[in-house]
Amino acid sequence: MTPKLVLVVVDGMTPAAFERAVESGRAPALAFLAERGDYRLATSVFPSLTPVCLTSIATGAGPGVHHIPSLVWWSRQERRIVEYGSSFAALRAAGLSQSLLDPIFNMNARHLAPGAVTIYEALEDAGLVAAAVNITCYRGRHRHLTTLPGVRRAAYGPSRFFFYGLFESDRTGAPFAVRSRRAGSVDTYAAAVGRWLVTRDGFDFLAFYLSGYDFASHAAGPDGEAADRALEQADAAIGTLLDAAGGPDEFLERYAVVLLSDHGQTSVGRVARLEDPFADLEGQVVVAASNRAGQIYLLPGAQVDPAELARQLDGFPAVDVTLRLEGDGVVARRDGADGPVEKLEHPDAAWRARSALADPNAGELLVSAAEGWELADLGGRHHAGGGSHGSLVAGDSFVPVVTVGLQTELHRITDVAPAVLAHFGLAVPKSMEALAGVS
Ligand SMILES: [Zn+2]
């Protein structure tokens, strides 16, 4: 019989942090899975920002297919900024009531491309039971009402669906998580739900998402003691799942495991406003920037072209490279010179850039920040002095991957969904990318 499968995503966990945690003995659950499984590095997508990455994991496709372009972007149809939660100040700047709807409902119901099949849809269409805990890409076939009194709007998720206490397909007794942003509290909720699900063996596939580590690493930087302590908390949440099965060995008798992060993080010490170099183009462009990536959109009637937008950033120290389409190719502009994207040394740069620019919701010019720099969000917030991510650089892009009981090697985060479907003996939908290791 095919073992069931648990996917664990630890947001923002770098390979170095993972290896430190395993080698120090401070993370017994991670160490157990690493010892019993295969470990390798995989690459994230661009921009390496959580809504893009988690959607790529859940759909097995890059932004060119799933159409979620960034953490913050300009909707040409609605002529407004979509902000999934760079910071509370950024949400407020984008219009608070709208901005709370975007990450909770609209990302899955409206922005996610209808043709990008999710892992939950593919599995449940085949008669399997999928469960999702807190993962922001959750689209499935089952209608769920919120737990909030007075909110009538429903969301469509997998049959077992738990989302920060806002959606709960089953009563688990887990503490309500949504109003507390403290690092760890939402993972405590996830762990309680996960324990309930594993205790009942109530799924064939579980997507279990932990966000607390990323939060701590943003605040304190990816290489500090505070981030390492947060990873111990993530480890404890994963340990809760192992315990619920009766112990680590019993857990692996029942479940195959894929454990990875969605992107890395790098230290940031300096901050810039990406709007500043475009000040003379007011009314012609929209700048959407957050963390270490930005998108520049041309408004109808603009008198400039993407190449001129790119030149506008020459000499701007926060920018490492810009990307734009020209003919059939992607032009990477760096240090004041254009070149083919294939020449960039950044991990998997050409595929990531092409997929990002193939997204109809992407800007005409994409910006990847230089090492050590962050781009302030709409609300002026940033993580200078801590950690951040979003760019093409290696530190933002490489993620640790542990697989136990899986036949397929995962080289990109988009490999997860097709590998899981193959694990269950199911056909891979056309919308999912070919496995990176297979040419
Ligand atoms: Zn983050």
Side-chain angles (χ1 to χ4, degrees):
M1 202 182 81
T2 306
K4 300 174 172 200
L5 192 142
V6 175
L7 166 66
V8 179
V9 183
V10 181
D11 195 320
M13 176 172 65
T14 62
F18 173 79
E19 289 165 20
R20 263 199 316 274
V22 166
E23 282 156 21
S24 67
R26 291 166 64 170
L30 293 177
F32 172 77
L33 294 172
E35 188 212 317
R36 298 287 291 273
D38 296 319
Y39 173 60
R40 62 173 40 80
L41 303 189
T43 47
S44 187
V45 289
F46 179 73
S48 45
L49 292 166
T50 296
V52 191
C53 299
L54 292 182
T55 308
S56 298
I57 290 170
T59 62
V65 173
H66 63 59
H67 299 179
I68 304 298
S70 195
L71 181 55
V72 56
W73 55 283
W74 172 253
S75 167
R76 294 184 179 91
Q77 289 84 9
E78 297 182 52
R79 298 187 55 79
R80 69 175 182 90
I81 288 281
V82 175
E83 172 51 84
Y84 293 135
S86 297
S87 66
F88 189 72
L91 288 174
R92 199 164 46 206
L96 192 55
S97 56
Q98 180 63 54
S99 292
L100 292 176
L101 294 177
D102 281 333
I104 297 170
F105 292 103
N106 295 338
M107 185 163 71
N108 286 274
R110 297 196 180 151
H111 308 151
L112 175 58
V117 179
T118 69
I119 184 81
Y120 324 105
E121 291 166 340
L123 290 167
E124 298 209 308
D125 286 352
L128 298 169
V129 175
V133 179
N134 283 359
I135 188 164
T136 58
C137 181
Y138 58 70
R139 198 184 65 199
R141 308 287 189 207
H142 296 264
R143 188 168 184 268
H144 299 277
L145 292 170
T146 76
T147 57
L148 296 175
V151 178
R152 292 265 171 77
R153 190 165 165 190
Y156 286 81
S159 51
R160 300 274 205 195
F161 178 40
F162 303 88
F163 194 73
Y164 304 95
L166 287 170
F167 299 100
E168 297 194 309
S169 57
D170 303 89
R171 286 181 174 276
T172 65
F176 196 64
V178 70
R179 289 203 179 79
S180 173
R181 288 296 308 268
R182 269 187 314 114
S185 67
V186 293
D187 290 352
T188 305
Y189 170 81
V193 172
R195 178 172 51 221
W196 188 92
L197 284 165
V198 171
T199 300
R200 281 153 191 79
D201 196 20
F203 55 86
D204 295 294
F205 168 78
L206 165 63
F208 184 73
Y209 167 66
L210 300 170
S211 62
Y213 177 76
D214 187 69
F215 190 91
S217 180
H218 274 298
D223 297 312
E225 173 62 19
D228 284 356
R229 270 203 306 278
L231 196 49
E232 288 175 36
Q233 290 176 6
D235 184 84
I238 297 161
T240 303
L241 303 185
L242 306 186
D243 292 345
D249 290 310
E250 290 80 357
F251 185 82
L252 291 187
E253 279 167 26
R254 219 196 279 168
Y255 307 113
V257 178
V258 176
L259 179 141
L260 79 168
S261 65
D262 54 342
H263 55 70
Q265 278 215 22
T266 48
S267 297
V268 286
R270 289 186 285 183
V271 58
R273 280 173 37 89
L274 193 60
E275 291 84 354
D276 290 346
F278 297 99
D280 58 333
L281 294 175
E282 215 191 318
Q284 299 193 65
V285 302
V286 173
V287 176
S290 178
N291 288 263
R292 290 177 33 74
Q295 313 243 344
I296 319 296
Y297 295 82
L298 287 174
L299 291 172
Q303 300 296 308
V304 288
D305 66 13
E308 288 174 78
L309 292 180
R311 285 196 294 276
Q312 203 88 8
L313 290 169
D314 287 351
F316 193 64
V319 173
D320 170 27
V321 59
T322 67
L323 303 164
R324 66 183 195 272
L325 288 173
E326 220 159 80
D328 292 336
V330 173
V331 176
R333 186 173 182 84
R334 202 177 190 191
D335 299 327
D338 285 344
V341 70
E342 290 75 16
K343 287 267 174 68
L344 288 180
E345 78 278 15
H346 305 73
D348 204 15
W351 181 81
R352 296 165 72 200
R354 265 197 297 277
S355 185
L357 283 162
D359 184 340
N361 293 321
E364 278 79 1
L365 187 75
L366 307 186
V367 174
S368 181
E371 293 272 9
W373 282 90
E374 192 167 64
L375 305 171
D377 70 25
L378 270 183
R381 298 301 158 89
H382 56 79
H383 306 100
S388 188
H389 53 92
S391 82
L392 287 169
V393 306
D396 290 356
S397 304
F398 280 121
V399 303
V401 182
V402 174
T403 55
V404 191
L406 198 77
Q407 297 301 314
T408 317
E409 292 183 2
L410 309 181
H411 297 278
R412 288 178 180 146
I413 63 171
T414 52
D415 289 347
V416 171
V420 168
L421 293 178
H423 172 83
F424 285 104
L426 299 176
V428 175
K430 284 195 183 67
S431 62
M432 294 188 182
E433 313 275 355
L435 291 171
V438 182
S439 52

